[in-house]
């Protein structure tokens, strides 16, 4: 509805307005001394801490650790999950059985694996990455599997009446037809993956944003916690805009297929 | 088709038997300490043990109580708030970006702050879980109201409907599919946040059970706990959440967005 | 001259996988379709029209009987029998151009030749200017034109059409019927057209095959002796031969409507 | 997020087509809630009924008097940390002898609550239990 970059700026401005108001209310509340600084630091404190952490690089290290784990897990487990999901989805006999099992592991994926991961890999980045991997893998695998199996048969008939072989059915019908589910799976895996990462970092490692804010709470450094939380929110919105929406726009929305919203 | 039914159940039996056998074999032969991979029998005896000691019912009971409380709160508090915010364009545009931001910061990320505010206790868990459930519910209820096709509103206007009637007859029913999805998504996030919070805060619950068991190398209990966590979610999802979603979509055959 | 399509003693039963209930859809169907003939198939709902077409298309294994195309037994789907489905079935992830070229792609026809054929059929079905569009951007009528163009582009021996214009508004329907008429005249293709509308069956068909109520069998074959050139929308308004044929077919179908088993 | 993303079709692979989905749907979730309610209610009733058997008759006078008592709670197994923490919420744990926990200053109401735990074998007066 907004045209050109001016529209974009105005929309962006309108998007920031609520946050500006919240900042003002927050500032007034702390100045009025409603709560001691330990409980609610002023925006100024948080900004100063943030600036300090940026300057001494401690924030960057933790951002790098967390983002690194997200990217690595995505790059490794998404292709694997999509490939396996399609492979199993095509097996008439195997897929109805694997689907419920994948559904079970899908329901279990994430932080529930932490104790077992720590038992196997001990505390540290291996366990955390393992948690990220299985969260992303099972969500994408399950959705791909369901996606391939839910492509309407009519498309398969159409291709076969055009003389298409199994190869054509797979690449020209089943895979594109499963795209909406695959995209949903990827979007959800990022949402759940981030959450699992933050929780895992709090428990099982000594770097990353999760550790940063959990450790800060041991020393009552509330301002550091706020810096961490705001950073997590911003990183999430970035990964959502930069990774997710292009994928969605390039595949699903262009074809007008309904891709379920967030 | 009948043949396929038998075919599926037989494949089921084969896969289950094979995986249990492989698991037992691995547990017996792999050159790792016992606690690394206990055999299926160890998990079964852990179940018997924890039931006899009355621990399992408490863990399951605590976790269920917390998630069902969050579900009720989500439904009866989250949904109305979302609808209210969604109805008028002004509040909707104001609330959307804020809700989107707070929804992306999961309840667990707030946990350190909550620990300072409420300490290591039940209140921290409840706030973390309910926050995680509430925001997706409110966000999707608002989204639901905004995504009702304007044609329905216009039709009622032409019939001279009052604003309240438009809300009751069009906006709320139209938003139901999104609301159902928001509740499902919120609880899915909430369930995981609950497990994580129980681990961090150390209060009775399935999260605590598996985390505590790890400290004593009771891996059989970890596996049992994980199985129950997965099974409970599937039961909740299959018996309560999917019917909620299917009832709203099926009744109107509406496709979201 | 042997018939293009020969059907003898065709019987088909549906078995419900859970209740084991057997439903006989077709029984004792004997039918011959001449080369280049436009045969329409009409009958009460549930008389097995679509079942007959799906068996001919090779998508449905028959219970008993023989089905021959140019003397060869029909076993599975193939490019020699092009199918236009009621739900269009064009790929939402392909542009109009790519959809029409789909059959040619599968038969690995070289690129330039493909482009030429697609251009010809885009013009033939009146989709000029929409080549780059995606299906969700088209109206029902236009989607159906893409499906027809796709089937024709693959140059099948026979075209099987399953109530293709059912989901289209009446204005577009008449134009599509006229266009199909022109295509039939231009390509001399053998066409088997299933429909529930008697008027459509008489307007399009050289002959109308009336199927009885379930279990469907050939109740009657009503010839429509009107040359293709004269078949335009005026014909629908007032033409004695047309009205007579329509009345006859309508009577035959009415008899069957009440009799479902 | 489409409906199937997080759920599964484990329990409904071959649903009869005869019954309409909606009727089956309502049926499925209502049955689940009923079963849970009945099971929970029955369980509480069972606990309430079996509780008195676990209390040593010698404690009756102290219970009716309403004053806090010191008791020995005997379990069928050696208590774990879980049980110790549980008992600490009812009174002061002064010691553990094998499968018995010595608990002081327990109010009569708390005593009746402890008696409801199915894994508690017997609650007896502390002096007698210690010997």
């Amino acid at each position: 509805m907004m045209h050109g970059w001016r529209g974009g700026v105005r929309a962006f401005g309108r998007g920031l307005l609520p946050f500006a108001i919240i900042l003002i209310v927050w500032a007034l509340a702390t100045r009025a001394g409603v709560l001691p600084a330990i409980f609610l630091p002023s925006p100024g404190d948080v900004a100063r801490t943030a600036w300090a952490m940026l300057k001494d690089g401690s924030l960057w290290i933790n951002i790098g650790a967390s983002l690194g784990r997200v990217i690595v897990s995505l790059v490794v487990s998404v292709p694997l999950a999509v490939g396996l999901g399609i492979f199993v989805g095509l097996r008439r006999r195997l897929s109805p059985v694997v689907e419920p099992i994948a559904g079970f592991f899908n329901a279990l994926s994430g932080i529930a694996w932490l104790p077992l991961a720590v038992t196997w890999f001990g505390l540290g980045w291996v366990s955390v990455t393992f948690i990220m991997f299985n969260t992303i893998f099972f969500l994408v695998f399950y959705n791909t599997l369901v996606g391939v199996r839910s492509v309407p048969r009519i498309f398969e008939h159409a291709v076969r009446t055009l003389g298409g072989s199994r190869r054509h059915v797979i690449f020209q019908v089943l895979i594109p037809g499963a795209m909406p589910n695959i995209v949903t799976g990827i979007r959800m895996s990022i949402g759940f993956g981030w959450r699992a990462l933050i929780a895992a970092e709090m428990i099982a490692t000594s770097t990353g944003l999760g550790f940063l804010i959990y450790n800060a709470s041991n020393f009552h450094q509330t301002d550091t916690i706020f810096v961490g939380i705001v950073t997590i929110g911003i990183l999430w919105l970035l990964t959502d805009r930069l990774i997710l929406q292009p994928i969605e726009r390039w595949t699903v929305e262009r074809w007008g297929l309904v891709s379920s919203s967030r | 088709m009948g043949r396929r039914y038998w075919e599926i159940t037989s494949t089921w039996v084969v896969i289950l038997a094979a995986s249990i056998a492989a698991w037992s074999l691995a547990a017996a032969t792999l050159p790792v300490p016992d606690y690394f991979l206990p055999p299926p029998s160890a998990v079964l005896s852990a179940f018997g043990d924890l039931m006899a000691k009355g621990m399992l019912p408490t863990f399951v009971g605590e976790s269920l109580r917390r998630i069902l409380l969050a579900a009720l709160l989500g439904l009866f508090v989250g949904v109305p708030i979302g609808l209210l915010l969604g109805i008028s364009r002004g509040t909707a545009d104001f609330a959307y970006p804020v809700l989107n931001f707070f929804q992306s910061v999961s309840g667990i990320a707030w946990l350190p702050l909550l620990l300072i505010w409420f300490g290591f206790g039940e209140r921290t868990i409840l706030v973390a879980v309910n926050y995680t459930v509430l925001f997706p519910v409110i966000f999707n209820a608002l989204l639901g109201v905004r995504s009702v096709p304007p044609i329905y509103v216009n039709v009622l206007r032409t019939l001279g409907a009052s604003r309240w009637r438009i809300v009751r007859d069009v906006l709320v029913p139209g938003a139901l599919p999104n609301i159902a999805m928001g509740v499902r998504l919120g609880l899915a996030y909430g369930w995981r946040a609950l497990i994580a919070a129980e681990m961090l805060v150390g209060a009775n619950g399935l999260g605590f059970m598996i985390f505590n068991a790890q400290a004593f190398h009771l891996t059989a209990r970890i596996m049992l706990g994980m199985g129950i966590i997965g099974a409970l979610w599937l039961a909740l999802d299959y018996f309560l959440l999917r019917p909620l979603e299917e009832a709203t979509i099926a009744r109107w055959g509406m496709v979201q967005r | 001259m042997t018939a293009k399509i020969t059907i003898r003693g065709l019987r088909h039963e549906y078995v419900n996988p859970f209740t084991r209930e057997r439903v006989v859809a077709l029984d004792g169907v004997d039918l011959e379709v001449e080369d280049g003939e436009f045969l329409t198939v009409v009958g009460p709902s549930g008389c097995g029209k679509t079942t007959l077409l799906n068996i001919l298309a090779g998508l449905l294994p028959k219970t008993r009987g023989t089905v021959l195309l140019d003397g060869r037994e029909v076993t599975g789907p193939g490019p020699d029998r092009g199918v236009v489905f009621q739900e269009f079935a064009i790929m939402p992830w392909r542009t109009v151009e790519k959809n029409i070229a789909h059959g040619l792609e599968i038969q690995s026809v070289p690129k330039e030749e493909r482009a030429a054929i697609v251009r010809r059929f885009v013009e033939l079905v009146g989709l000029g200017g929409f080549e780059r569009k995606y299906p969700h951007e088209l109206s029902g009528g236009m989607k159906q034109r893409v499906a027809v163009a796709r089937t024709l582009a693959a140059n099948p021996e026979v075209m099987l059409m399953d109530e293709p214009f059912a989901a289209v508004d009446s204005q577009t329907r008449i134009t599509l019927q006229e266009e199909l008429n022109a295509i039939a005249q231009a390509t001399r293709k053998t066409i088997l057209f299933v429909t529930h509308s008697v008027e459509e069956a008489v307007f399009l068909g050289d002959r109308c095959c009336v199927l009885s109520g379930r279990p469907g069998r050939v109740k009657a074959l009503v010839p429509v002796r009107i040359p293709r050139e004269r078949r335009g929308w005026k014909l629908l308004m007032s033409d004695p031969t047309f009205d007579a044929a329509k009345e006859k077919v309508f009577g035959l179908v009415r008899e069957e409507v009440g009799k479902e088993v | 997020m489409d409906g199937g993303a997080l759920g599964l079709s484990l329990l409904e692979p071959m649903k009869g087509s005869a019954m309409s989905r909606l009727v089956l749907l309502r049926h499925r979730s209502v049955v689940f809630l009923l079963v849970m309610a009945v099971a929970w209610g029955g369980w509480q009733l069972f606990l309430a009924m079996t509780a008195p058997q676990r209390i040593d008759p010698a404690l009756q006078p102290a219970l009716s008097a309403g004053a806090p008592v010191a008791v020995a709670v005997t379990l069928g197994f050696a208590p774990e940390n879980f049980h110790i923490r549980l008992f600490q919420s009812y009174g002061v744990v002064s010691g553990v002898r094998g499968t018995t926990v010595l608990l002081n200053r327990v109010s009569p109401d708390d005593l009746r609550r402890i008696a409801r735990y199915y894994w508690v074998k017997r609650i007896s007066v502390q002096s007698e239990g210690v010997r």
Side-chain angles (χ1 to χ4, degrees):
Chain A
M1 49 211 176
M2 298 287 178
H3 310 294
W5 66 272
R6 183 173 295 99
V9 168
R10 198 177 312 119
F12 189 70
R14 277 238 327 272
L16 281 185
L17 183 63
F19 292 107
I21 293 175
I22 290 179
L23 263 180
I24 295 164
V25 167
W26 178 10
L28 290 177
T30 44
R31 185 153 304 112
V34 168
L35 285 167
I38 293 290
F39 280 91
L40 187 64
S42 75
D45 299 344
V46 175
R48 268 188 297 280
T49 318
W51 178 248
M53 289 171 73
L54 280 172
K55 269 220 330 271
D56 68 22
S58 60
L59 190 57
W60 289 118
I61 297 168
N62 290 308
I63 290 178
S66 293
L67 259 187
R69 290 182 189 124
V70 173
I71 308 290
V72 163
S73 305
L74 279 174
V75 163
V76 169
S77 43
V78 167
L80 194 66
V82 171
L84 263 175
I86 291 169
F87 177 77
V88 170
L90 296 176
R91 293 289 167 290
R92 273 275 165 278
R93 185 180 161 91
L94 194 61
S95 51
V97 173
V98 171
E99 185 175 318
I101 297 173
F104 173 76
F105 281 106
N106 191 9
L108 184 62
S109 69
I111 198 68
W113 281 86
L114 192 69
L116 202 56
V118 168
T119 308
W120 288 342
F121 312 115
L123 294 172
W125 67 273
V126 177
S127 289
V128 172
T129 315
F130 174 79
I131 298 292
M132 280 294 293
F133 176 83
N134 93 36
T135 309
I136 293 172
F137 176 80
F138 284 119
L139 270 168
V140 175
F141 174 71
Y142 179 76
N143 276 286
T144 309
L145 182 59
V146 168
V148 169
R149 294 190 66 227
S150 60
V151 176
R153 290 286 299 241
I154 191 82
F155 293 131
E156 200 178 324
H157 287 171
V159 165
R160 283 179 58 210
T161 58
L162 290 166
S165 66
R166 185 145 179 68
R167 186 170 55 80
H168 295 108
V169 169
I170 293 171
F171 291 100
Q172 292 173 357
V173 172
L174 292 180
I175 293 178
M179 273 318 277
N181 282 63
I182 294 176
V183 166
T184 308
I186 293 174
R187 175 184 323 105
M188 287 185 58
S189 72
I190 292 181
F192 282 89
W194 257 111
R195 288 170 164 69
L197 176 71
I198 300 297
E201 281 176 348
M202 284 190 198
I203 299 170
T205 183
S206 57
T207 59
L209 292 167
F211 168 76
L212 173 73
I213 54 180
Y214 188 70
N215 191 32
S217 98
N218 293 340
F219 302 100
H220 288 289
Q221 296 162 329
T222 328
D223 46 8
T224 314
I225 295 176
F226 271 90
V227 171
I229 288 174
V230 171
T231 315
I232 292 169
I234 293 171
L235 282 182
W236 157 257
L237 290 176
L238 281 179
T239 38
D240 187 69
R241 286 283 186 294
L242 298 183
I243 298 175
L244 209 55
Q245 286 181 349
I247 296 178
E248 202 167 46
R249 202 164 304 122
W250 172 71
T251 53
V252 179
E253 267 159 31
R254 196 160 59 104
W255 303 332
L257 294 172
V258 173
S259 156
S260 40
S261 63
R262 225 157 297 288
Chain B
M1 261 301 262
R3 198 177 56 72
R4 245 167 80 60
Y5 188 75
W6 183 85
E7 188 185 279
I8 289 178
T9 27
S10 67
T11 332
W12 248 103
V13 168
V14 165
I15 286 195
L16 280 184
S19 46
I20 290 178
W23 179 4
S24 326
L25 191 65
T29 54
L30 279 183
V32 281
D34 286 351
Y35 68 82
F36 248 64
L37 188 62
S41 53
V43 176
L44 277 180
S45 63
F47 174 75
D49 179 43
L50 287 177
M51 283 307 282
K53 292 180 179 172
M55 294 166 76
L56 198 54
T58 308
F59 292 144
V60 171
E62 289 292 289
S63 291
L64 272 183
R65 176 176 57 79
R66 291 172 184 139
I67 198 69
L68 292 179
L69 182 72
L72 290 178
L73 206 67
L75 270 174
F76 296 111
V77 170
V79 170
I81 293 178
L83 291 176
L84 278 175
L85 289 176
I87 287 171
S88 76
R89 184 135 194 76
T91 48
D93 288 346
F94 178 86
Y96 183 87
V98 176
L99 282 175
N100 196 8
F101 177 78
F102 282 107
Q103 187 206 1
S104 57
V105 177
S106 74
I108 279 304
W110 290 100
L111 203 72
L113 192 61
L114 298 177
L115 287 175
I116 289 182
W117 286 356
F118 305 111
F120 280 77
E122 186 68 16
R123 227 177 296 128
T124 298
I125 295 183
L126 288 184
V127 170
V129 173
N130 284 299
Y131 170 96
T132 311
V133 173
L134 264 174
F135 272 95
V137 168
I138 296 174
F139 184 68
N140 278 285
L142 181 137
L143 218 60
V145 175
R146 300 311 311 163
S147 60
V148 172
I151 176 125
Y152 297 127
V153 177
N154 299 341
V155 162
L156 275 190
R157 272 215 194 91
T158 54
L159 298 169
S162 68
R163 183 144 184 68
W164 161 245
R165 174 163 281 283
I166 289 180
V167 170
R168 196 164 59 88
D169 292 355
V170 166
L171 292 184
V172 171
L176 276 179
N178 274 59
I179 291 174
M181 192 183 65
V183 170
R184 266 193 85 203
L185 196 61
L187 284 174
Y189 286 139
W191 181 245
R192 287 172 171 71
L194 172 64
I195 301 297
E198 283 169 354
M199 279 190 201
L200 280 160
V201 171
N204 275 344
L206 288 167
F208 169 73
M209 166 180 163
I210 58 179
F211 186 70
N212 190 280
Q214 192 275 326
F216 299 93
H217 288 319
L218 299 169
T219 313
R221 286 190 182 181
I222 298 178
M223 290 184 166
L224 176 67
M226 288 169 71
I228 293 173
I229 290 170
L232 271 184
W233 172 256
L234 293 185
L236 278 177
D237 184 64
Y238 177 69
F239 285 109
L240 296 180
L241 297 176
R242 263 157 53 107
L244 187 74
E245 189 158 294
E246 281 158 8
T248 50
I249 295 172
R251 187 119 45 86
W252 289 288
M254 275 171 66
V255 177
Q256 300 124 22
R257 193 162 62 89
Chain C
M1 187 180 76
T2 61
K4 191 72 180 177
I5 300 175
T6 319
I7 303 172
R8 269 200 290 284
L10 176 64
R11 173 184 172 86
H12 186 71
E13 288 166 9
Y14 282 107
V15 177
N16 183 316
F18 314 112
T19 58
R20 284 279 170 278
E21 195 197 333
R22 311 175 79 79
V23 171
V24 181
L26 296 169
D27 192 10
V29 175
D30 296 310
L31 183 64
E32 285 191 351
V33 184
E34 301 312 325
D35 189 6
E37 180 184 18
F38 196 134
L39 178 77
T40 51
V41 179
V42 68
S45 67
C47 68
K49 312 193 283 290
T50 304
T51 309
L52 173 64
L53 188 130
N54 281 333
I55 290 175
L56 261 171
L59 296 170
L60 196 61
K62 58 188 183 305
T63 309
R64 224 188 4 263
T66 54
V67 177
L68 305 175
L69 176 70
D70 287 334
R72 287 187 321 279
E73 181 73 28
V74 161
T75 49
D80 50 353
R81 283 150 289 127
V83 179
V84 178
F85 297 87
Q86 181 176 356
E87 313 92 344
F88 318 133
I90 53 174
M91 310 289 162
W93 46 84
R94 282 172 161 256
T95 58
V96 166
E97 251 174 358
K98 293 277 282 179
N99 261 299
I100 296 176
H102 204 160
L104 303 170
E105 243 175 76
I106 289 176
Q107 291 158 24
S108 42
V109 168
K111 216 162 173 322
E112 316 71 28
E113 207 185 317
R114 252 196 341 247
I117 296 173
V118 167
R119 210 171 306 113
R120 184 158 80 78
F121 283 102
V122 163
E123 291 318 319
L124 186 70
V125 294
L127 282 172
F130 291 93
E131 293 85 350
R132 280 266 182 286
K133 286 269 188 283
Y134 279 95
H136 71 92
E137 296 164 293
L138 306 177
S139 69
M142 290 159 76
K143 283 186 196 161
Q144 197 54 295
R145 286 197 177 95
V146 174
V148 170
R150 171 180 69 186
T151 308
L152 282 173
N155 189 21
E157 292 289 320
V158 164
M159 209 152 88
L160 309 172
M161 304 180 81
D162 181 10
E163 297 188 42
F165 306 148
V168 173
D169 64 84
S170 50
Q171 261 48 12
T172 330
R173 192 169 192 167
I174 294 171
T175 23
L176 286 175
Q177 285 165 353
E178 284 180 333
E179 280 171 15
L180 183 59
N181 195 15
I183 291 169
Q185 221 173 327
T187 59
R188 304 291 324 133
K189 272 277 183 268
T190 310
I191 297 176
L192 189 127
F193 187 101
V194 165
T195 177
H196 56 271
S197 146
V198 170
E199 186 172 73
E200 185 173 57
V202 175
F203 178 68
L204 289 171
D206 297 326
R207 274 193 308 167
C208 289
C209 164
V210 180
L211 287 187
S212 65
R214 193 178 28 208
R217 54 175 177 64
V218 176
K219 177 176 170 113
L221 282 160
V222 178
V224 182
R225 290 187 184 71
I226 301 171
R228 284 244 155 248
E229 306 74 45
R230 279 189 48 239
R231 296 191 184 214
W233 62 272
K234 285 197 188 59
L235 192 79
L236 292 170
M237 293 315 137
S238 59
D239 181 298
T241 333
F242 179 78
D243 292 341
K246 195 165 85 171
E247 215 177 313
K248 187 163 193 330
V249 172
F250 203 73
L252 291 164
V253 173
R254 282 309 294 169
E255 282 166 23
E256 292 302 322
V257 168
K259 267 200 297 187
E260 261 116 81
V261 110
Chain D
M1 175 191 78
D2 64 23
L6 270 168
L8 93 163
S9 54
L10 170 71
L11 302 179
E12 53 178 335
M14 287 302 150
K15 224 170 27 250
S17 56
M19 203 181 324
S20 82
R21 271 180 61 80
L22 268 186
V23 168
L24 183 73
L25 179 93
R26 202 171 299 117
H27 179 64
R28 173 176 98 213
S29 40
V30 169
V31 162
F32 176 74
L33 290 173
L34 277 178
V35 163
M36 297 299 278
V38 166
W40 188 77
W43 178 249
Q44 295 305 330
L45 198 65
F46 166 75
L47 291 180
M49 284 206 303
T50 55
Q53 299 150 358
R54 296 193 185 88
I55 299 177
D56 181 345
L59 280 165
Q60 285 313 339
L63 276 182
S64 44
V69 280
V71 290
V73 183
T74 313
L75 313 177
F77 46 86
E80 287 192 20
N81 190 293
F82 168 87
H83 305 95
I84 305 298
R85 271 193 328 185
L86 184 66
F87 288 132
Q88 273 160 354
S89 65
Y90 290 117
V92 173
V93 174
S94 62
V96 175
R97 301 281 182 282
T99 64
T100 305
V101 177
L102 306 179
L103 195 56
N104 300 346
R105 288 210 295 282
V106 183
S107 74
D109 290 344
D110 283 348
L111 196 72
R112 284 189 198 87
R113 280 192 204 95
I114 294 174
R116 286 168 59 101
Y117 290 114
Y118 66 88
W119 39 271
V120 165
K121 274 246 167 322
R122 203 175 62 264
I123 305 175
S124 47
V125 178
Q126 198 172 84
S127 55
E128 182 208 322
V130 163
R131 241 195 347 278

